[in-house]
Amino acid sequence: MFTTTMSEQESLRCSTARNRGGVQRVEGKLRASVEKGDYYEAHQMYRTLFFRYMSQAKHAEARELMYNGALLFFSYNQQNSAADLSMLVLEVLEKSETKVEDEILESLAKLFSLMDQNSPERVAFVSRALKWSTGGSGKLGHPKLHQLLAVTLWKEQNYSESRYHFLHSSDGEGCAQMLVEYSASRGFRSEVDMFVVQAVLQFLCLKNKNSASVVFSTYTEKHPSIEKGPPFVQPLLNFIWFLLLAVDGGKLTVFTVLCEQYQPSLKRDPMYNEYLDRIGQLFFGVPPKQSPSYGGLLGNLLNSLMGAGEDDDGAEEAHEDSSPIELD
């Protein structure tokens, strides 16, 4: 029995080595075509091989070939061919029901980073990648993939999109550092508090108390225009500091008095009280309003942020393609 098992393992290793050698030979021929400038011919050959491998259930070989092919086309600035092969990488993952692993998420983020920032293919790719990455555990996308996308977009100085993905990651520190840069480069000095206040409230609406605390402490510590606190010069920052303490305590009376005392500052953004209504429900047992006072754009923004209707596929797709909530 033991001998048979060892024989099977040896046979499997030999088979894997042969397959790997075959992929390398094929890649060599395709690389030569691309280097000669025969982009169309090479692209079609990649697609032919993809469907051949998939029909033979050689999923690992198909994924590796498409991934390396996409990188090759990107290196020759053949964006359309590269994007097409990138989508085929996702197709392998979907059809083979591959488990989510950090290495795969990093490879997807790599492809995303190389795509033309304004291409519709990039939007389609990220939406599909996030959908695959859920692996059946929620519908907003894997936090690690969101974090990798957020860092890429931050490097591109696409702060609003970066911010959206950071909100759905668990990287409060990275989010804070990005917001410091966002505030310093694009915001008014008078808005220095508003950048982090919105992020904290939204993290709390997503029931991510830990990231809410980390983003607040990191931002207030690292922002050059914020004097060391608490207490802070800016009333809104003091409000958030007290709010985070109140969330830990869970006492409704404290939350209610706090919101009343800081109402003049909270009126600086009409969304603040909408977020606080939701936070009251999540952390302090406040019953939901029978008829929401908000609707239209404000309601849509809240629903997008909180994943409302996420059991509906159409709603999910709308969520994935929706723009992040902008700062005023």
Side-chain angles (χ1 to χ4, degrees):
M1 184 70 139
F2 178 75
T3 307
T4 303
T5 304
M6 290 295 291
S7 176
E8 288 174 352
Q9 290 176 346
E10 186 63 31
S11 175
L12 181 61
R13 277 198 294 270
C14 290
S15 175
T16 302
R18 281 197 302 274
N19 288 338
R20 180 76 190 105
V23 170
Q24 287 179 329
R25 284 194 296 276
V26 169
E27 283 186 330
K29 292 178 181 179
L30 291 169
R31 181 176 292 276
S33 291
V34 172
E35 288 172 350
K36 284 192 297 183
D38 296 335
Y39 303 125
Y40 178 79
E41 181 183 333
H43 183 190
Q44 294 309 307
M45 184 57 70
Y46 271 110
R47 291 185 62 84
T48 299
L49 288 167
F50 171 78
F51 292 113
R52 182 181 301 169
Y53 280 149
M54 291 298 285
S55 69
Q56 297 169 355
K58 293 182 177 178
H59 299 132
E61 291 86 352
R63 177 159 58 90
E64 181 182 359
L65 189 63
M66 294 307 104
Y67 177 70
N68 290 335
L71 295 182
L72 180 61
F73 277 120
F74 276 127
S75 70
Y76 282 84
N77 200 31
Q78 296 299 303
Q79 282 283 330
N80 291 338
S81 295
D84 181 57
L85 297 192
S86 298
M87 296 300 278
L88 292 180
V89 170
L90 289 175
E91 189 170 325
V92 181
L93 294 173
E94 293 162 351
K95 291 186 174 178
S96 63
E97 299 182 354
T98 304
K99 290 184 178 180
V100 176
E101 297 175 358
D102 283 356
E103 183 182 354
I104 296 174
L105 296 178
E106 286 164 6
S107 70
L108 295 178
K110 173 74 171 176
L111 294 175
F112 173 80
S113 72
L114 294 169
M115 289 183 181
D116 185 321
Q117 297 175 22
N118 300 311
S119 70
E121 290 82 7
R122 196 187 209 201
V123 175
F125 177 82
V126 75
S127 176
R128 193 167 164 184
L130 286 167
K131 193 169 186 176
W132 167 78
S133 75
T134 59
S137 60
K139 301 218 175 166
L140 296 174
H142 195 286
K144 174 68 174 177
L145 182 55
H146 275 296
Q147 192 264 345
L148 293 167
L149 296 171
V151 170
T152 294
L153 291 160
W154 177 10
K155 289 176 181 175
E156 296 172 2
Q157 297 186 330
N158 187 343
Y159 298 115
S160 60
E161 292 281 350
S162 172
R163 191 180 165 287
Y164 168 80
H165 288 291
F166 268 125
L167 278 172
H168 294 289
S169 75
S170 300
D171 186 6
E173 184 174 355
C175 182
Q177 292 173 338
M178 182 278 295
L179 289 173
V180 169
E181 185 179 307
Y182 190 7
S183 167
S185 62
R186 304 277 174 87
F188 295 106
R189 188 179 176 86
S190 60
E191 295 177 336
V192 64
D193 50 351
M194 298 179 75
F195 279 78
V196 73
V197 169
Q198 187 186 41
V200 170
L201 295 177
Q202 290 179 346
F203 269 127
L204 290 175
C205 284
L206 293 168
K207 296 187 283 189
N208 190 343
K209 186 169 66 171
N210 182 62
S211 292
S213 297
V214 172
V215 76
F216 179 71
S217 60
T218 306
Y219 182 91
T220 53
E221 178 186 325
K222 293 185 178 296
H223 201 295
S225 299
I226 294 178
E227 294 181 20
K228 189 174 181 180
F232 299 97
V233 173
Q234 297 88 349
L236 273 178
L237 296 183
N238 289 323
F239 170 77
I240 292 297
W241 178 55
F242 285 125
L243 175 64
L244 291 170
L245 292 174
V247 164
D248 283 334
K251 292 184 178 178
L252 178 57
T253 51
V254 175
F255 174 70
T256 303
V257 170
L258 186 59
C259 292
E260 289 173 355
Q261 289 295 317
Y262 282 91
Q263 205 49 229
S265 295
L266 292 172
K267 288 179 179 177
R268 289 176 63 191
D269 186 326
M271 283 301 294
Y272 289 164
N273 282 314
E274 308 299 348
Y275 293 139
L276 288 167
D277 284 345
R278 178 64 174 165
I279 290 165
Q281 295 168 30
L282 292 172
F283 296 101
F284 301 97
V286 177
K289 292 182 177 179
Q290 291 299 313
S291 56
S293 61
Y294 53 87
L297 179 61
L298 294 185
N300 290 337
L301 291 175
L302 267 177
N303 288 337
S304 172
L305 175 71
M306 297 168 202
E310 61 182 23
D311 289 335
D312 183 277
D313 286 338
E316 179 200 357
E317 288 174 12
H319 163 78
E320 299 293 6
D321 294 337
S322 65
S323 298
I325 300 172
E326 293 281 4
L327 292 163
D328 289 337

